[in-house]
Amino acid sequence: QSNGMNAMIVQVRPAADAFYPSPFEPWSEWLTGTQGKPPVPFWDPMQFMIEETHKRGMEFHAWLNPYRATLDLDTAALSPLHPLRSLPDNRKAQWFFRYGKRYYFNPANPSVQQYLVNVVKDIVLRYDVDGIHFDDYFYPYKEPGETLNDYNEFASDPRGFPTIEDWRRDNVSRLISAVSTNIHKLKPYVRFGIGPFGVWRNRDQDPVMGSDTRAGVTCYDDLYADVLLWLKNGWIDYAKCLEETL
């Protein structure tokens, strides 16, 4: 407040866990050291932050990572309430995939899309947030020697898309559209924002809309995040690019 800030954008869901009492996901390990263990004595960190920011005339935007399910491969450390442990094995195989040193929600699965919409709806309904914010993690950042094993899913239901890359972008766009629709239906004044990676496309990839950059990673081609489409369609209210050293 003393520095003139008018909004706080604070992470409340790092990896299918929560900095608030969630009916869907366990308490975050970053609060108590153990995932699923509530603060003692009990308190609600997100409610506290909302109240304190509003006292100071500031907005509070709840920052969520939509697709990251774990921060490592140690699933034994997960709470029994974590969906990677609580779901039946057949549904786990449909909902999650392993890539690199983490597990991720499968963006192609309609049940996953609805689950993530419900997580957002719960926050918007129960808390006086001014915004919902997603960060730059959509499909995983590419790692050497790793492959996304979703070709069978694409082949079984390409939805008319000629390439798997277009199909992946549509998977993410479907979530963004659904989250936006539900937020603004419940509370039209709550804003939905994205903090995408700082380069949409390089100019050599798109001479018209690409930027004069030589980034090794781009939103559109590597993370399958078509941010310009989301802005054009009015699905997000703001996009604040994350500047990274390339």
Side-chain angles (χ1 to χ4, degrees), residues 3-68:
N3 286 326
M5 296 181 183
N6 62 6
M8 297 295 291
I9 302 176
V10 184
Q11 178 75 275
V12 298
R13 183 184 183 268
D17 54 357
F19 279 49
Y20 61 96
S22 168
F24 300 105
E25 296 171 326
W27 284 98
S28 176
E29 65 180 288
W30 301 109
L31 292 172
T32 62
T34 302
Q35 190 177 88
K37 182 179 179 180
V40 178
F42 181 85
W43 66 295
D44 184 338
M46 184 157 70
Q47 181 60 33
F48 169 81
M49 290 187 285
I50 292 170
E51 291 175 358
E52 293 302 312
T53 50
H54 286 177
K55 281 180 186 177
R56 293 162 174 79
M58 304 163 72
E59 293 187 359
F60 183 87
H61 293 223
W63 172 3
L64 292 75
N65 185 300
Y67 293 124
R68 188 169 57 202

Side-chain angles (χ1 to χ4, degrees), residues 180-208:
S180 176
T181 297
N182 279 274
I183 289 173
H184 296 124
K185 184 184 298 181
L186 294 170
K187 293 181 179 178
Y189 61 87
V190 172
R191 283 174 285 178
F192 181 33
I194 304 283
F197 181 77
V199 177
W200 179 72
R201 299 191 86 187
N202 296 313
R203 187 164 292 168
D204 63 354
Q205 296 164 310
D206 187 329
V208 177

Side-chain angles (χ1 to χ4, degrees), residues 67-87:
Y67 293 124
R68 188 169 57 202
T70 69
L71 295 175
D72 54 40
L73 298 176
D74 184 10
T75 57
L78 299 176
S79 163
L81 298 176
H82 191 288
L84 191 53
R85 291 192 62 187
S86 64
L87 289 174

Side-chain angles (χ1 to χ4, degrees), residues 10-245:
V10 184
Q11 178 75 275
V12 298
R13 183 184 183 268
D17 54 357
F19 279 49
Y20 61 96
S22 168
F24 300 105
E25 296 171 326
W27 284 98
S28 176
E29 65 180 288
W30 301 109
L31 292 172
T32 62
T34 302
Q35 190 177 88
K37 182 179 179 180
V40 178
F42 181 85
W43 66 295
D44 184 338
M46 184 157 70
Q47 181 60 33
F48 169 81
M49 290 187 285
I50 292 170
E51 291 175 358
E52 293 302 312
T53 50
H54 286 177
K55 281 180 186 177
R56 293 162 174 79
M58 304 163 72
E59 293 187 359
F60 183 87
H61 293 223
W63 172 3
L64 292 75
N65 185 300
Y67 293 124
R68 188 169 57 202
T70 69
L71 295 175
D72 54 40
L73 298 176
D74 184 10
T75 57
L78 299 176
S79 163
L81 298 176
H82 191 288
L84 191 53
R85 291 192 62 187
S86 64
L87 289 174
D89 288 343
N90 63 326
R91 291 182 67 191
K92 290 178 188 177
Q94 298 168 356
W95 277 44
F96 300 98
F97 63 86
R98 174 179 170 175
Y99 185 86
K101 297 180 180 180
R102 294 188 175 102
Y103 287 95
Y104 296 85
F105 284 93
N106 180 3
N109 189 297
S111 296
V112 165
Q113 294 173 13
Q114 186 58 54
Y115 173 82
L116 296 174
V117 167
N118 290 342
V119 168
V120 173
K121 285 174 62 177
D122 173 61
I123 293 175
V124 173
L125 282 171
R126 292 197 295 126
Y127 291 92
D128 187 21
V129 294
D130 302 286
I132 295 291
H133 183 88
F134 284 179
D135 55 22
D136 59 314
Y137 294 94
F138 295 100
Y139 273 86
Y141 280 80
K142 292 180 179 178
E143 298 189 22
E146 294 285 343
T147 302
L148 287 170
N149 296 316
D150 55 353
Y151 293 93
N152 289 338
E153 284 184 275
F154 169 64
S156 65
D157 184 20
R159 300 194 304 272
F161 290 101
T163 69
I164 194 169
E165 290 80 12
D166 288 336
W167 178 80
R168 287 171 180 163
R169 278 185 282 271
D170 185 64
N171 291 332
V172 179
S173 291
R174 283 172 177 241
L175 174 67
I176 299 302
S177 174
V179 168
S180 176
T181 297
N182 279 274
I183 289 173
H184 296 124
K185 184 184 298 181
L186 294 170
K187 293 181 179 178
Y189 61 87
V190 172
R191 283 174 285 178
F192 181 33
I194 304 283
F197 181 77
V199 177
W200 179 72
R201 299 191 86 187
N202 296 313
R203 187 164 292 168
D204 63 354
Q205 296 164 310
D206 187 329
V208 177
M209 298 299 294
S211 57
D212 188 15
T213 50
R214 297 181 181 87
V217 174
T218 68
C219 286
Y220 186 88
D221 299 282
D222 298 290
L223 306 179
Y224 306 105
D226 194 349
V227 183
L228 296 190
L229 175 70
W230 307 342
L231 287 166
K232 177 183 176 182
N233 290 344
W235 294 340
I236 54 177
D237 300 304
Y238 66 86
K240 176 65 176 75
C241 288
L242 301 176
E243 297 178 2
E244 309 225 3
T245 302

